Amino acid sequence: MKSVLQTLKEMVIKTMEQSFTGILIYAEKVPQNGNSHCFGVTIKSVEQKPLLKGRREQWITICVEYQNYLEKRPKAESTEKAEQLYDVLALVGEKENQFFAGKMHHTMTEKGFYFEAVYYVQLQSVMTDSKMERLEYNDTKLVGYEKR
């Protein structure tokens, strides 16, 4: 079973692939010798707070790095891509597995930008009860000794 972090990261990448065709998307930081026109998607941080009854809430920060060494106007192209990401990453996922970004911002760099989206998630722990298989009381076999 995949973790919530891995599921969210995959949904972000899938959503970006649908919106930015023709641009390579790495599932980690953009490598030093990576493509000169690409995105890199990483999980920057996770904040967690326990709630009642085994629940917990998380704020997951996804960082999208964009590098653009091909365009003649890298600042204008990067600004356009950053503005598109606000719409693209606001809601990711499908059906019951949708994540909404409560906070987003970006910082321009010399040849691209860093974009951060913070997603809020509430998790419920799945508890499994271990049931008694056998019960003996005063040397009398009561439960779990039937012939099978």
Side-chain angles (χ1 to χ4, degrees), residues 107-145:
T107 306
M108 298 303 292
T109 62
E110 186 178 325
K111 290 288 187 177
F113 61 82
Y114 289 102
F115 185 95
E116 291 183 0
V118 181
Y119 295 91
Y120 175 79
V121 179
Q122 269 200 13
L123 302 171
Q124 175 75 39
S125 297
V126 177
M127 302 294 230
T128 55
D129 294 332
S130 57
K131 299 193 178 187
M132 189 180 326
E133 293 181 16
R134 295 183 174 195
L135 175 65
E136 291 182 23
Y137 179 73
N138 290 337
D139 294 328
T140 305
K141 296 177 180 180
L142 301 173
V143 176
Y145 292 95

Side-chain angles (χ1 to χ4, degrees), residues 4-5 8 43 45-46 58-62 117-121:
V4 173
L5 299 176
L8 176 59
I43 297 170
S45 66
V46 178
Q58 291 182 338
W59 293 269
I60 304 168
T61 303
I62 299 283
V118 181
Y119 295 91
Y120 175 79
V121 179

